[in-house]
Amino acid sequence: MTEIIDIGLVRYPGAQVSAVLGLVDLFGIAGNVASKRPEDLPRLRITEWSCDPGLAPVTPGVGQDVLLLPPALGSPIKAEAAAPIAAGLRSAHGQGTILASVCAGAFLLAETRLLDGRRATTHWAYADELAARFPRVVLDPDQLIIDEADILTAGGLMSWTDLGLKLVDRFLGPSVMLETAQILLLDPPGREQRFYSSFAPRLNHGDAAILRVQHWMQANGGKEAALAVLAGHAGLEQRTFLRRFQKATGLTSTDYAQRLRVNRARELLQFSQQSVDAIAWEVGYRDPAAFRKVFHRVVGLTPGEFRQRFHV
């Protein structure tokens, strides 16, 4: 049976309608491209959720894979209007839904408090306001897209195209993404091609205790992977935790943490000037030789080879 990926576009008050419609078209084109491939690729099912009191309400579905917050025209959404929507988003995320925002959509996403202590981006013109309203968000407005697996944020007003292509890449693969970009005459984001083998963890497995640990590991970049600590966050005995974690994610907790660290290292190797040893330390390895060994095992290239190919 063909897998179905449910992507919900949230039309909150002030949301840019043209971006919503553009994303519907982008995902539709990607779906058509995928349908012509010989392999059995997932099918994208796109729905629109209206949270704008001026529009006919649309009841959110259950078990969405992605909820995407488009950019806004005008001022970012205020806390009072955002509160009920943010509560629903937080609940969905707790059940395994990936959340994504574009431009000022980051304000609504930040109202969930799920960005507290985590990296995020928004339009440069909104950076000061977002930092003032949400001081616990680790804001990096220099980045076009920040992909933290379960939460993605995109910066500029038109970066919905980049975010859309990133999601196509994640669910349908790089070749479908590239053909979709060519059809739309879009430049594919550099990171889209670089991250074709990026770590996309399972989040919709239904094990709430393990999902809670996954979110915590994502927030700290996989730097804390001690079994006792992870089992404590799950509220489980250690053997039970190990068994349930591997069943839910398909990986041991150690391998999962290593992949989170390597994902961050890839980004630093491509976009920063830091030395490999400094990057190893930043992502949580005190032994650069161990970092190089893990990186090569996961990526298939040494850190130096990866930087030589993809540094911009």
Side-chain angles (χ1 to χ4, degrees):
M1 177 180 290
T2 300
E3 180 184 5
I4 295 176
I5 303 296
D6 284 304
I7 300 178
L9 307 176
V10 183
R11 292 182 62 174
Y12 59 90
Q16 183 185 2
V17 177
S18 61
V20 174
L21 299 178
L23 283 162
V24 171
D25 288 342
L26 186 152
F27 291 133
I29 290 170
N32 288 337
V33 171
S35 69
K36 298 173 183 176
R37 299 300 170 95
E39 60 268 42
D40 185 22
L41 294 173
R43 182 167 69 86
L44 303 182
R45 181 163 59 196
I46 313 303
T47 57
E48 295 182 38
W49 295 9
S50 173
C51 300
D52 190 327
L55 299 172
V58 177
T59 303
V62 176
Q64 293 283 314
D65 293 286
V66 181
L67 286 176
L68 196 157
L69 308 174
L73 295 177
S75 299
I77 191 169
K78 301 301 182 184
E80 298 78 12
I85 309 170
L89 293 171
R90 187 177 184 91
S91 176
H93 181 261
Q95 298 176 52
T97 297
I98 296 166
L99 301 181
S101 69
V102 181
C103 191
F107 285 79
L108 177 51
L109 185 53
E111 287 287 352
T112 66
R113 301 301 170 183
L114 293 169
L115 289 181
D116 288 359
R118 299 182 63 165
R119 299 167 60 242
T121 189
T122 188
H123 194 290
W124 60 267
Y126 293 131
D128 289 345
E129 183 178 352
L130 193 143
R133 277 179 60 177
F134 308 101
R136 296 187 63 188
V137 177
V138 183
L139 190 61
D140 186 358
D142 292 334
Q143 296 296 324
L144 180 64
I145 294 180
I146 292 179
D147 180 357
E148 295 226 320
D150 60 329
I151 297 178
L152 299 87
T153 52
L157 189 65
M158 291 300 294
S159 61
W160 60 264
T161 60
D162 301 272
L163 182 60
L165 290 174
K166 177 166 278 292
L167 291 172
V168 170
D169 187 14
R170 176 178 294 196
F171 294 118
L172 301 180
S175 63
V176 172
M177 180 275 290
L178 289 169
E179 186 172 343
T180 301
Q182 290 167 356
I183 291 171
L184 291 169
L185 298 182
L186 295 173
D187 290 328
R191 289 197 298 167
E192 293 293 339
Q193 297 176 73
R194 178 174 67 94
F195 281 115
Y196 61 87
S197 60
S198 64
F199 178 42
R202 291 184 202 163
L203 299 169
N204 59 353
H205 45 69
D207 190 326
I210 299 305
L211 182 62
R212 185 165 61 248
V213 174
Q214 287 178 269
H215 289 328
W216 183 78
M217 292 177 74
Q218 186 69 49
N220 66 40
K223 293 180 181 180
E224 177 56 79
L227 177 57
V229 174
L230 299 180
H233 273 278
L236 298 171
E237 189 271 335
Q238 292 185 18
R239 287 188 179 181
T240 302
F241 169 76
L242 287 173
R243 175 178 53 81
R244 284 173 57 174
F245 191 95
Q246 185 148 16
K247 180 180 179 182
T249 68
L251 298 167
T252 66
S253 57
T254 298
D255 196 20
Y256 192 98
Q258 288 174 341
R259 289 173 184 270
L260 289 176
R261 295 183 189 186
V262 166
N263 256 14
R264 175 62 176 145
R266 284 173 170 165
E267 195 171 74
L268 293 171
L269 286 165
Q270 186 177 12
F271 294 106
S272 83
Q273 300 295 330
Q274 295 180 64
S275 69
V276 172
D277 286 3
I279 290 172
W281 181 268
E282 180 166 336
V283 301
Y285 288 92
R286 297 192 177 188
D287 180 358
F291 164 70
R292 287 178 168 85
K293 183 177 180 180
V294 170
F295 190 95
H296 187 270
R297 177 176 61 82
V298 174
V299 179
L301 297 169
T302 67
E305 290 169 338
F306 185 89
R307 168 166 274 172
Q308 186 175 12
R309 281 195 181 192
F310 298 112
H311 187 266
V312 294

